[in-house]
Amino acid sequence: MHKKLIFVYNANSGTWNSVLDSAHKILKPETYSCKLCAVTHGLAGEKKVWKNYRKSSNFDMDFYHKDEFLNTFASKYLLKFDFPAILFAENGDLQVLISAKEFNEISSVEKLIEIIENRV
């Protein structure tokens, strides 16, 4: 039985998109569309608390930008997800662990970790 957490950012991959996202976080953080990124990453990169959790966790974790996820999974699952999202994959099935709507209530990395730990 293989279990994995799949994190999908509400941002597209690529250097230019990364630059635009960083500028958006600085100039208009309240309208930035990727709450997962806002919680786990600061302007200098991945937050230390999140990095330590990710490295010490017993869960396999995969991270995707929205376009990467859709290219990899859309045709296989034909599911409609809103992003950002954290999905739980087990034996080839995907379930939403934390929805895009729920991310509106998550304001810290510690709260995100608490929710993950309580639900898995």
Side-chain angles (χ1 to χ4, degrees), residues 8 19 31 38 92 109:
V8 186
V19 169
T31 64
V109 112

Side-chain angles (χ1 to χ4, degrees), residues 33-113:
S33 64
C34 187
K35 193 70 186 263
L36 172 58
C37 184
V39 169
T40 60
H41 290 70
L43 297 177
E46 193 174 23
K47 292 180 180 175
K48 189 174 185 174
V49 170
W50 176 249
K51 187 175 189 175
N52 290 340
Y53 172 73
R54 187 178 52 74
K55 288 184 171 189
S56 66
S57 173
N58 292 326
F59 304 115
D60 285 340
M61 297 181 187
D62 286 343
F63 295 85
Y64 294 92
H65 290 92
K66 179 172 52 177
D67 59 324
E68 297 164 331
F69 176 82
L70 292 172
N71 286 338
T72 304
F73 292 97
S75 61
K76 183 175 180 182
Y77 290 96
L78 299 173
L79 298 174
K80 171 77 172 101
F81 294 106
D82 291 324
F83 303 111
I86 300 176
L87 308 172
F88 181 70
E90 183 175 18
N91 299 327
D93 291 329
L94 287 179
Q95 298 175 10
V96 175
L97 186 71
I98 300 177
S99 70
K101 185 177 180 183
E102 288 178 288
F103 268 104
N104 292 328
E105 308 303 317
I106 300 172
S107 58
S108 71
V109 112
E110 293 81 5
K111 183 66 175 171
L112 176 62
I113 292 168

Side-chain angles (χ1 to χ4, degrees), residues 113-120:
I113 292 168
E114 177 186 326
I115 292 170
I116 291 170
E117 289 294 315
N118 286 335
R119 292 188 182 176
V120 176

